Amino acid sequence: MTNTSLTLTAACWLAAFGFAPAADIFVSPSGNDSNAGTKAAPLGSMAAAKEAASRFAGKEAVTVHVADGVYYLPETLVFTAEDSGKEGSPVVYRSVNEGGAVLSGGSELDVTWEPYKDGIYQAKTPAGLKIDQVFIDGRNQRMARYPNYDPAKKAEPYQGYSADAFSPERAKNWADPAGGFIHAMHSKRWGGYHYLITGKDGKGAVTYEGGWQNNRQMGMHKDYRMVENIFEELDAAGEWYHDAKTDTLYYKPEEGADLNAAKVEVVRLRQLVEFKGSESSPVKNITLQGFVVRHAARTFMDVKEPLLRSDWAIYRGGAYFLTGTEGVRILDTEFDQVGGNAVFVNNYNRDVVVKGCHIHDAGASGVCFVGDPDAVREPLFEYRETNDLMKIDRTPGPKTNNYPADSAVEDCLIHGIGRVERQPAGVQISMAMGITVRDCSIYDTARAGINISEGTWGGHLIERCDVFDTVLETHDHGSFNSWGRDRFWHKDRTVTEAAVKKYPEMPFLDAGKKTVIRDSRWRCDHGWDIDLDDGSTNYDIYNNLMLNNGLKLREGYRRHAWNNITVNNGLHPHVWYKGSENVVKSNIFMAKHKPAGVSKGNAGDGVDKNLYFADKGAVMGISQKLGWDENSIFGDPMFVDPAKADFSVKEGSPAFEIGFKNFPMDQFGVKKPSLKKIARTPVIPALNTQNGGESNGAPTTEWLGLTLTELSGVEFSAFGVSQEDGGLAVSNARPISRAKQAGVQNGDLIQAVNNRKTANVKQFKKVVAKMKGEVELKVVRDQEVIKINVTL
């Protein structure tokens, strides 16, 4: 009797006695695909194990036991509907020991190293081999680059940048830079760009193509630039260069390293595992558990698809790539130094769970949930595109089911996100519904920890997360970031306000379900702790501890924030709509509000009954102008032990008078013991009880009947400009002002006069001091540049 017959006989016997039948298949690196797949005679590859499992899938529960070792996948492991399990009888692929079985999208190289020069070694590689990444003893090494990588520059772009990265002077030293890469930050630091170097022109200037990786096309930053994969820049330990023309790998090891004893691996595959189904024929009830996933190729040059009107462009792919699934589980998996996204949940997917995973040092994002733009009603893609709001389709919700829904990322440790790309997130959500992010620790990210790209279609839940050390290399963002440039959103706010006044349901056509952010801890030192940007609508925000830069609420409708604590900071209301129905109550704030583009005419009356641990005069000096905080109170909230991260309030605290309720201070972040043991936690700030009384301190000047104020702190975000460009914000424009009569408005930002930069008051005074006659102002209005001529 064969082993397969024994398995089937046992299954029939179990079924006869009411037990669910089950099949067990064994695979080992030392096995052979001609074996029966038993424990004594295991198969030798994941592909063979999948084929064996498919014979039982859907008929009975199947467990594939994967022994310790490295499984170099010759091609992507693809699951289709035929591989599906059924409810109650899933197909489970499980590493025998968690972390023992490694799925690799690379190959091990058998090379012999010889000295080259200057501490560099060389080795011959197989003919025709293309190398994207090189791993030495399990650690990803760096392409030869300029400037060199400096780990101490954690919060600097690329951990080393230079304005002359690919200047003609620098390029003189490069014999043939074709195949190299330029990496540059967006001019406003809203992410980054990448370019493939194609060579040099007749004048010695570097030629290149690319720059499509950001949805707000404004060109590369003039300073924040880096090049890699240039042979002549191979000068630092840990750098490598592969000459494909001569099939030679060059590498500079650390001093004293024994290269000939080192394990050398290179990367081949982009996707290691793909689930390939559809709504009509989904891949169901498959679990992958306990693996280490390594050696997935970088994908930054294929990040081309814009995500509606957010800043993002995306590459639909990841080390694990899911399309058309139901009930798929990714459990207890380590995604180790993958080159792009770790997990990408694409279009139609339901009930996907990513749980107990450790995702670190990823080139792009941790987990992405991204739907189909064709499921969106009236989709627009670039920031400046607009609809006629009086003619749009006002049918609520999506057109199709082709989007991720009812799925979760739970109990995960996610850090080191955006090692290659600069528009990543620990968890990215776009055109999806009902995504839960729970019990996750997320930190050390180039941009957001958690990002929601638009309101389509809401219903998300973020709870018990610990998110910090974010926005490390970018600007104007938050540990949590969202946009909501949905059907109702227009770059001219008055257009939106008029449409919503006529059709009050309009903001909720896409964001029809509330998104909840609760019971979480946030800290961002380079943006806001929680940042609800353009259009973000239909949010409940409560029981959050914000440790540094508080809560920003920009344009949007129905944002309710209560029972939150903002340590040493407060509320940042930016350019609110009239009738926005925002409610901010029962919070503990430690600073005055910092409004931008908010006045009594659009502030509403929903900000009240808060406790301020700040100077009353400073707070009310702002609040009274806005008609806020009539019933708010002032005093020491009496935190239990803030030095030890316990911001609960003691019995007798005045916070109870405004309806504040204590919430747990020990439930933030990952819970799985093995991950919690290695997870970092944020730095807890010392209390600054004088914060609310501090003056803005921004220099101000009067000019032609205008009050001009220099931008400072996070105010740059309200105008959508970089700190380098700066500018002077216009307020208190007098009716008889010549500048106002020429077209300058309150809320404008003046950045230049006659093409001479005026980033601050000092520059402005110097520029206009000797000017006469008519001058041309460069003005930013609604995040667009316009020109206005004014007669002095």
Side-chain angles (χ1 to χ4, degrees):
M1 185 178 290
T2 66
N3 286 294
T4 302
S5 298
L6 282 169
T7 302
L8 290 172
T9 300
C12 293
W13 182 85
L14 288 167
F17 284 89
F19 295 96
D24 291 281
I25 298 167
F26 295 83
V27 61
S28 169
S30 61
N32 191 295
D33 286 350
S34 64
N35 286 344
T38 63
K39 189 172 184 178
L43 298 168
S45 71
M46 293 297 294
K50 184 182 81 74
E51 183 180 352
S54 67
R55 299 181 206 137
F56 306 100
K59 305 180 185 75
E60 57 191 271
V62 183
T63 302
V64 178
H65 305 268
V66 185
D68 291 0
V70 180
Y71 297 82
Y72 293 106
L73 303 178
E75 58 187 9
T76 302
L77 191 66
V78 179
F79 294 96
T80 65
E82 288 71 28
D83 300 302
S84 296
K86 64 180 180 180
E87 191 170 350
S89 298
V91 178
V92 179
Y93 294 78
R94 179 181 293 128
S95 176
V96 172
N97 296 296
E98 183 177 328
V102 178
L103 303 183
S104 169
S107 302
E108 184 176 1
L109 292 185
D110 182 10
V111 295
T112 301
W113 294 99
E114 297 177 353
Y116 173 60
K117 65 177 183 180
D118 300 328
I120 299 170
Y121 285 74
Q122 61 182 348
K124 285 295 181 181
T125 58
L129 181 66
K130 294 181 180 180
I131 300 180
D132 174 69
Q133 296 169 80
V134 172
F135 286 72
I136 304 291
D137 289 334
R139 297 305 304 169
N140 196 356
Q141 307 301 296
R142 300 189 180 280
M143 280 183 169
R145 56 169 277 177
Y146 170 77
N148 289 334
Y149 174 84
D150 184 348
K153 297 178 178 179
K154 181 179 178 181
E156 289 190 11
Y158 307 111
Q159 289 68 58
Y161 62 85
S162 179
D164 75 336
F166 58 96
S167 66
E169 293 76 17
R170 189 83 195 176
K172 285 179 182 177
N173 302 315
W174 304 341
D176 181 11
F181 298 105
I182 298 168
H183 304 279
M185 299 301 292
H186 186 281
S187 61
K188 301 294 190 291
R189 296 181 69 181
W190 296 334
Y193 296 112
H194 311 274
Y195 305 83
L196 172 67
I197 296 175
T198 56
K200 292 192 284 187
D201 65 18
K203 297 181 180 180
V206 171
T207 58
Y208 50 87
E209 62 184 21
W212 42 66
Q213 295 87 355
N214 195 290
N215 200 21
R216 299 283 295 271
Q217 287 291 317
M218 296 182 179
M220 67 175 79
H221 197 281
K222 63 183 179 62
D223 295 321
Y224 300 145
R225 303 175 175 188
M226 181 268 283
V227 294
E228 67 173 357
N229 205 33
I230 305 293
F231 182 50
E232 289 81 3
E233 302 298 349
L234 178 49
D235 60 359
E239 289 187 346
W240 63 272
Y241 177 83
H242 182 239
D243 188 334
K245 295 178 181 177
T246 64
D247 300 316
T248 306
L249 177 62
Y250 298 89
Y251 176 66
K252 186 167 185 175
E254 299 286 347
E255 189 174 347
D258 183 2
L259 266 188
N260 284 317
K263 184 176 185 178
V264 181
E265 294 167 299
V266 296
V267 175
R268 295 175 297 100
L269 301 180
R270 293 183 173 198
Q271 269 93 243
L272 277 68
V273 175
E274 180 176 2
F275 294 85
K276 202 169 186 178
S278 65
E279 181 181 0
S280 60
S281 183
V283 185
K284 294 184 177 182
N285 302 308
I286 296 178
T287 295
L288 302 180
Q289 184 173 15
F291 295 99
V292 175
V293 177
R294 288 190 185 133
H295 309 144
R298 304 186 301 176
T299 54
F300 60 89
M301 286 304 296
D302 291 306
V303 176
K304 296 180 178 180
E305 180 187 342
L307 289 183
L308 301 185
R309 287 187 287 181
S310 74
D311 294 358
W312 278 63
I314 201 80
Y315 168 71
R316 288 182 186 262
Y320 279 14
F321 184 45
L322 287 70
T323 302
T325 74
E326 296 176 2
V328 165
R329 302 288 182 266
I330 300 169
L331 307 178
D332 304 318
T333 298
E334 179 185 0
F335 292 87
D336 176 18
Q337 306 169 88
V338 297
N341 303 309
V343 179
F344 199 104
V345 184
N346 176 60
N347 291 343
Y348 178 82
N349 287 273
R350 298 293 185 271
D351 189 26
V352 173
V353 176
V354 180
K355 186 174 182 179
C357 294
H358 184 194
I359 302 171
H360 63 92
D361 301 295
S365 293
V367 184
C368 299
F369 297 90
V370 182
D372 178 7
D374 287 340
V376 180
R377 299 181 190 276
E378 306 282 1
L380 296 173
F381 294 91
E382 209 281 327
Y383 175 84
R384 295 173 182 83
E385 292 181 353
T386 56
N387 283 317
D388 184 339
L389 298 189
M390 295 303 175
K391 297 180 180 179
I392 62 170
D393 179 356
R394 294 199 302 277
T395 306
K399 290 194 295 186
T400 74
N401 293 322
N402 202 24
Y403 56 87
D406 306 324
S407 297
V409 181
E410 299 184 44
D411 207 8
C412 290
L413 173 58
I414 303 173
H415 61 98
I417 298 301
R419 293 297 193 226
V420 179
E421 301 174 27
R422 294 304 185 268
Q423 188 68 282
V427 179
Q428 158 68 353
I429 301 170
S430 174
M431 297 173 285
M433 184 189 296
I435 305 302
T436 295
V437 186
R438 175 185 293 130
D439 295 326
C440 290
S441 293
I442 304 173
Y443 54 85
D444 189 11
T445 69
R447 204 136 170 78
I450 300 172
N451 185 74
I452 298 178
S453 280
E454 63 282 311
T456 50
W457 285 277
H460 311 306
L461 172 62
I462 312 327
E463 66 177 355
R464 297 196 302 270
C465 289
D466 200 9
V467 186
F468 58 96
D469 280 1
T470 61
V471 198
L472 292 178
E473 299 177 57
T474 55
H475 170 68
D476 190 8
H477 218 53
S479 287
F480 172 86
N481 182 82
S482 66
W483 293 285
R485 298 170 187 146
D486 302 328
R487 272 179 274 178
F488 78 91
W489 189 86
H490 195 286
K491 62 183 180 180
D492 183 341
R493 286 184 294 280
T494 62
V495 173
T496 291
E497 289 172 338
V500 173
K501 185 176 182 179
K502 185 172 183 179
Y503 303 109
E505 75 281 6
M506 190 174 286
F508 309 98
L509 296 177
D510 292 312
K513 295 188 175 184
K514 283 187 295 187
T515 290
V516 176
I517 305 172
R518 68 187 182 195
D519 296 301
S520 295
R521 182 168 62 185
W522 310 88
R523 175 167 182 156
C524 186
D525 290 11
H526 306 91
W528 293 270
D529 297 337
I530 296 178
D531 181 359
L532 271 62
D533 211 347
D534 297 355
S536 299
T537 289
N538 209 3
Y539 278 79
D540 280 355
I541 305 169
Y542 61 93
N543 292 3
N544 292 282
L545 175 61
M546 291 170 255
L547 291 175
N548 194 56
N549 271 327
L551 171 64
K552 172 187 160 189
L553 300 177
R554 194 180 165 94
E555 305 163 334
Y557 290 88
R558 205 215 152 274
R559 283 82 59 84
H560 292 182
W562 73 93
N563 218 73
N564 302 289
I565 302 169
T566 62
V567 179
N568 298 335
N569 217 300
L571 175 66
H572 299 256
H574 287 190
V575 288
W576 283 13
Y577 294 122
K578 294 178 182 177
S580 59
E581 299 183 358
N582 294 321
V583 175
V584 181
K585 66 178 183 179
S586 303
N587 301 286
I588 298 175
F589 292 136
M590 291 186 63
K592 62 187 178 184
H593 305 308
K594 297 179 180 177
V598 177
S599 64
K600 198 165 187 177
N602 63 359
D605 58 2
V607 181
D608 201 2
K609 295 184 180 178
N610 298 294
L611 169 63
Y612 292 88
F613 191 19
D615 180 79
K616 182 175 182 179
V619 172
M620 294 308 297
I622 298 293
S623 292
Q624 285 177 345
K625 293 178 182 178
L626 300 174
W628 289 352
D629 291 310
E630 182 179 347
N631 300 293
S632 292
I633 62 176
F634 295 79
D636 184 345
M638 302 168 56
F639 295 129
V640 171
D641 194 348
K644 294 184 179 179
D646 188 351
F647 289 85
S648 302
V649 298
K650 299 175 183 176
E651 185 177 351
S653 167
F656 296 123
E657 298 176 26
I658 49 97
F660 181 85
K661 297 179 181 179
N662 279 323
F663 55 93
M665 292 284 160
D666 59 354
Q667 295 297 308
F668 306 125
V670 68
K671 306 296 190 298
K672 183 179 176 181
S674 61
L675 296 181
K676 188 173 183 177
K677 183 178 180 180
I678 62 174
R680 286 176 46 217
T681 55
V683 173
I684 304 301
L687 294 185
N688 176 11
T689 58
Q690 301 302 312
N691 195 37
E694 291 180 356
S695 168
N696 184 9
T700 298
T701 190
E702 299 292 323
W703 183 71
L704 296 184
L706 307 175
T707 300
L708 304 179
T709 304
E710 192 172 307
L711 298 185
S712 63
V714 293
E715 293 172 341
F716 299 92
S717 171
F719 297 94
V721 300
S722 67
Q723 293 179 349
E724 293 85 355
D725 291 337
L728 302 181
V730 176
S731 62
N732 196 28
R734 267 70 87 192
I736 60 172
S737 163
R738 278 175 285 166
K740 184 173 183 178
Q741 292 172 357
V744 178
Q745 301 176 6
N746 287 329
D748 284 347
L749 184 75
I750 299 175
Q751 288 194 311
V753 181
N754 284 353
N755 293 319
R756 295 179 64 184
K757 187 175 181 179
T758 56
N760 51 54
V761 167
K762 184 177 180 181
Q763 275 188 340
F764 181 84
K765 287 181 175 181
K766 185 176 181 180
V767 166
V768 301
K770 297 181 180 181
M771 287 186 174
K772 297 180 180 180
E774 188 174 82
V775 298
E776 182 184 76
L777 305 182
K778 176 187 175 183
V779 172
V780 176
R781 180 181 297 165
D782 294 328
Q783 298 196 13
E784 290 192 0
V785 173
I786 61 174
K787 301 293 179 68
I788 299 176
N789 292 323
V790 178
T791 301
L792 301 182

